[in-house]
C-alpha cells in the first residue's frame, strides 16, 4: 500500500481510503437479483481485510446506518484514522448542542476518547448556522475531543467558499474521470492552504461500473459518457473501466486519499489490486 501525507494534519494515510456507507445501509444503484449491504459477519471480515491490506483511513457518518457501530466493533482500538461527520441542521435551534451530542455518540460508537477527523456533512454556503457549528467544533477541538476539522462538500460553489476558509484542515470533494470540475478552482485553493484533500465518487456513484446498465433512461447521458471513455481507452469490459477510473483518481497527485465504497470482499480486493 502507498501512503501520503494528509495536508497540514500530518497524518500518513493510505492512498485508498475505505468508504463505509455501503456497509451501514443499502446504497447506490440497485442490481436485480443482488442483495444490498453485507451482513455483520461479512462486514467485519471486509473491514479486517482492509486493515490487513494496509488501509488506514476510514470514512463514515452517523447517517450511514450501522456504519459507525461496525467500524467501532472492528477497528475502534486499532492504529488507524477514522473520519466521521456531523450534520448542520437549520431547523435545529441549538446547533452547538446537537453537534456535541453527535460527537459524544460517535466517541461511544468507536470506543475512543478523541476523534481523528470530524467533517461537516454537505456544508451549504447559505446555511445560516455555520458560525454556531464552527464555534462548537472549535470548542470540542480545544477540549481534546477532536483532532482535526473538515468539511464534505457537493456543490462546486459551496466547496470553493469552504476551501477559502482557514478553519478547515481537511476538504472532502467529488472527483472522477467523468467529473473533474473540482480541479479547476477548488483543489488548487485547498492545496494553497495545505488542506488534506479526500477524493470520493471515484466510480461516480456506480456510473463507471457495470451497475450503470440498470439505470433508467433519464441517466442515458452518463451511460453514453461511460461508453465513450471505454471506446477511447480501448476497453472492452466494465470491470476494466472501473479499474481505469480508480487508477485515474489514485494517480491524481493532488488527492491525498481516494475513498472507495465496497459491498463485497471482491470489490475490496479489486480496489487493493488497482
Amino acid at each position: 500500500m502507498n501512503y501520503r501525507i494528509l495536508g497540514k494534519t500530518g497524518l500518513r494515510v493510505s492512498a485508498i481510503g475505505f468508504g463505509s456507507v455501503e456497509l451501514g445501509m443499502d446504497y447506490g444503484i440497485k442490481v436485480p437479483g443482488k442483495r444490498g449491504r453485507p451482513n455483520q459477519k461479512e462486514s467485519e471480515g471486509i473491514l479486517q481485510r482492509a486493515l490487513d491490506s494496509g488501509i488506514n483511513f476510514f470514512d463514515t457518518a452517523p447517517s450511514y446506518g450501522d456504519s459507525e457501530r461496525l467500524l467501532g466493533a472492528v477497528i475502534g482500538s486499532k492504529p488507524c484514522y477514522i473520519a466521521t461527520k456531523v450534520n448542520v441542521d437549520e431547523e435545529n435551534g441549538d446547533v452547538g448542542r446537537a453537534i456535541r451530542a453527535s460527537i459524544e455518540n460517535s466517541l461511544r460508537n468507536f470506543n475512543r476518547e478523541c476523534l481523528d477527523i470530524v467533517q461537516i456533512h454537505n456544508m451549504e454556503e447559505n446555511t445560516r448556522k455555520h458560525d454556531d457549528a464552527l464555534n462548537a467544533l472549535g470548542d470540542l477541538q480545544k477540549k481534546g475531543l477532536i483532532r482535526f476539522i473538515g468539511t464534505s462538500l457537493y456543490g462546486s460553489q459551496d466547496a470553493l467558499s469552504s476551501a477559502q476558509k482557514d478553519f478547515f484542515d481537511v476538504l472532502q470533494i467529488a472527483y472522477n474521470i467523468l467529473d473533474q470540475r473540482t480541479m479547476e478552482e477548488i483543489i488548487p485553493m485547498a492545496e494553497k492552504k495545505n488542506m488534506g484533500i479526500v477524493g470520493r465518487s471515484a466510480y461516480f456513484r456506480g456510473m463507471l461500473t457495470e451497475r450503470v446498465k440498470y439505470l433508467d433512461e433519464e441517466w442515458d447521458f452518463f451511460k453514453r459518457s461511460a461508453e465513450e471513455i471505454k471506446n477511447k481507452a480501448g476497453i472492452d469490459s466494465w470491470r476494466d473501466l472501473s479499474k481505469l477510473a480508480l487508477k485515474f483518481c489514485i494517480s491524481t497527485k493532488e488527492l491525498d486519499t481516494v475513498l472507495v465504497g465496497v459491498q463485497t470482499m471482491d470489490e475490496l480486493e479489486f480496489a487493493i489490486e488497482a
Side-chain angles (χ1 to χ4, degrees), residues 5-52:
I5 301 301
L6 188 65
K8 58 187 171 184
T9 71
L11 302 180
R12 184 173 175 268
V13 299
S14 47
I16 57 173
F18 193 104
S20 63
V21 62
E22 293 182 74
L23 297 189
M25 60 191 291
D26 291 332
Y27 181 84
I29 301 171
K30 297 193 184 325
V31 177
K34 288 191 177 183
R35 62 186 176 90
R37 63 185 174 123
N39 61 39
Q40 179 158 335
K41 183 176 181 180
E42 291 168 333
S43 294
E44 291 174 352
I46 290 169
L47 287 169
Q48 187 58 56
R49 171 62 183 132
L51 282 170
D52 293 342

Side-chain angles (χ1 to χ4, degrees), residues 87-91 95 120-133 158 165:
N87 289 310
V88 178
D89 187 354
E90 278 199 8
E91 303 302 320
V95 170
I120 295 179
H121 206 167
N122 194 12
M123 184 170 176
E124 295 179 351
E125 188 176 22
N126 62 356
T127 301
R128 296 188 299 272
K129 302 291 186 179
H130 277 185
D131 288 345
D132 292 345
D158 303 339
K165 295 181 183 293

